[in-house]
Amino acid sequence: MQDIECLGVYTSGGDAPGMNACLRAVVRTAVANDIEVMGIRRGYEGMIAGDFVEMERRSVSNILQSGGTILKSARSEAFRTEEGRQRAADNLRENSIDALVAIGGDGTFRGASKLCDEHGLGVVGCPGTIDNDLYGTDQTIGYDTALNTAIDNIDRIRDTADAHNRLFLVEVMGRDAGFIALNSGIGGGAELILIPETITEMSMVKERILSLMTAQRRSTIVVVAEGDELGGAQGIERALRDDEAFSDIELRSTILGHTQRGGAPTASDRVLASRLGVAAVESLMDGHSDVMVGVTNNEIKLTPLHNVYGRRKSIDYDLLKLTQILS
Ligand code: ATP
């Protein structure tokens, strides 16, 4: 058993629905084990500025169901420097914080790992990002909510697309990963799905859309991840508008953008966030550090942080094949 005097907790990087539920679980697990808790506001920015707030059971009442993060999130350039991390570590020591739970994505974990290496602090990460792109967990906190938001919006677009026989290009989030695009595309019945993990020729996209539009003369939805190499919805729209073969096709683009980050977390995200928050504190108490807690095959699993940010989580290519059969 590891003695922890005071536990620091922070949310960092892109916010994700369910971060609050995770925070609640971290605080309550610590309190139940007589560990003091300090919330660190604005991620690494707040760590460097000493923006800390004492937390107890009631500090996290009534936040389980809310999106965003009550501790706020930020990106910090200063933390990328040794000086910045030294200031952060000094502030943590002054406040007797000897262990940390970091809720965020791979950048957050790179920073957390450096705190372990350079300053000997105990850190456990909880995967919080809508992108689901973290190795070591089947799903990240926030992904299921973002996915459902995307599907809900695709359904709405389908109604209007259908009414006018239109072609819609729907852009969903995912700069480097296509999890949201692939699964919202399948769940929303998209005719074509474009993701950063696969290289697609524009000529193939055009050919497929033309054959779909002429064959069925009704709505066609293309779901594209923002990081797809064809330039997202706008890049594809430009290419189609420049081509005479598309002059008779009514075409619209919708970028779902930050709607995917907000909103109440789904049941699945609330449960995942709660499990991971509890597991993070228990792992620290068991003496683990420099690891991320994840859920794989419904079991809690610890993965070294360097493996989390050093490896790429693969999409399921069989799912991609499904679209060709189903559309
Ligand atoms: P998301 O995946 O949702 O974008 P993230 O945690 O990956 O979340 P980032 O902006 O990449 O978000 O990282 C959050 C913060 O972590 C950065 O602003 C920076 O302060 C810190 N960080 C990222 N990479 C490093 C690094 N190599 N060294 C030190 N700190 C880092």
Side-chain angles (χ1 to χ4, degrees):
M1 251 337 213
Q2 183 80 24
D3 247 356
I4 300 171
E5 192 177 337
C6 180
L7 175 77
V9 58
Y10 57 101
T11 49
S12 162
D15 62 302
M19 279 184 161
N20 277 331
C22 186
L23 194 54
R24 170 179 176 268
V26 169
V27 172
R28 294 201 166 165
T29 310
V31 171
N33 288 284
D34 298 319
I35 299 170
E36 276 180 50
V37 191
M38 201 70 94
I40 300 162
R41 291 201 189 96
R42 299 179 290 119
Y44 294 123
E45 277 293 278
M47 206 180 275
I48 291 172
D51 191 358
F52 301 159
V53 53
E54 275 178 45
M55 300 189 88
E56 33 105 18
R57 268 191 75 81
R58 274 173 308 166
S59 319
V60 288
S61 294
N62 213 17
I63 64 166
L64 172 72
Q65 70 279 27
S66 55
T69 154
I70 59 164
L71 286 181
K72 312 277 183 195
S73 191
R75 305 198 197 262
S76 170
E77 279 313 307
F79 194 80
R80 292 178 186 271
T81 66
E82 267 181 43
E83 281 171 343
R85 292 193 293 277
Q86 182 65 55
R87 256 191 292 156
D90 291 344
N91 285 334
L92 295 172
R93 290 230 161 78
E94 268 169 37
N95 285 274
S96 306
I97 298 171
D98 47 1
L100 291 166
V101 174
I103 308 170
D106 69 326
T108 299
F109 297 156
R110 278 176 206 273
S113 229
K114 287 193 175 160
L115 271 183
C116 292
D117 288 351
E118 296 168 5
H119 301 283
L121 283 150
V123 188
V124 169
C126 286
T129 167
I130 62 166
D131 293 332
N132 199 32
D133 57 348
L134 294 178
Y135 179 84
T137 189
D138 289 344
Q139 292 208 352
T140 55
I141 298 165
Y143 167 64
D144 186 64
T145 307
L147 178 58
N148 277 286
T149 302
I151 288 180
D152 183 47
N153 280 296
I154 293 169
D155 287 349
R156 288 160 197 263
I157 287 167
R158 177 71 72 184
D159 291 344
T160 175
D162 217 35
H164 295 276
N165 290 340
R166 276 180 182 151
L167 163 66
F168 265 85
L169 306 169
V170 183
E171 183 179 302
V172 299
M173 276 192 169
R175 261 173 308 179
D176 305 305
F179 291 94
I180 296 179
L182 179 55
N183 289 281
S184 68
I186 289 172
E191 278 72 21
L192 190 59
I193 300 170
L194 301 169
I195 55 175
E197 287 88 342
T198 57
I199 304 289
T200 319
E201 295 294 327
M202 185 59 86
S203 55
M204 187 290 269
V205 174
K206 288 179 178 176
E207 211 176 284
R208 179 105 182 101
I209 293 174
L210 282 176
S211 74
L212 282 162
M213 295 297 287
T214 44
Q216 55 184 32
R217 298 295 301 158
R218 52 191 292 264
S219 66
T220 295
I221 291 183
V222 177
V223 171
V224 55
E226 63 179 320
D228 184 74
E229 72 286 350
L230 293 179
Q234 286 174 336
I236 299 170
E237 180 175 345
R238 269 194 301 275
L240 299 187
R241 290 208 186 277
D242 283 347
D243 188 329
E244 241 179 51
F246 287 82
S247 55
D248 286 342
I249 292 177
E250 276 210 70
L251 161 65
R252 299 283 185 278
S253 291
T254 303
I255 298 172
L256 300 186
H258 284 75
T259 57
Q260 294 158 95
R261 279 200 192 279
T266 57
S268 165
D269 268 333
R270 293 179 201 199
V271 174
L272 177 69
S274 301
R275 285 180 78 184
L276 292 178
V278 173
V281 179
E282 288 181 345
S283 302
L284 281 165
M285 288 165 55
D286 286 342
H288 294 287
S289 180
D290 212 1
V291 293
M292 182 193 83
V293 287
V295 171
T296 305
N297 295 330
N298 205 26
E299 276 182 26
I300 296 286
K301 193 180 126 191
L302 302 184
T303 305
L305 287 181
H306 65 87
N307 280 351
V308 176
Y309 53 74
R311 292 192 190 179
R312 200 178 162 89
K313 181 165 154 187
S314 176
I315 57 144
D316 183 347
Y317 287 91
D318 285 341
L319 280 184
L320 202 53
K321 283 191 213 141
L322 276 191
T323 334
Q324 284 150 21
I325 301 167
L326 298 178
S327 67

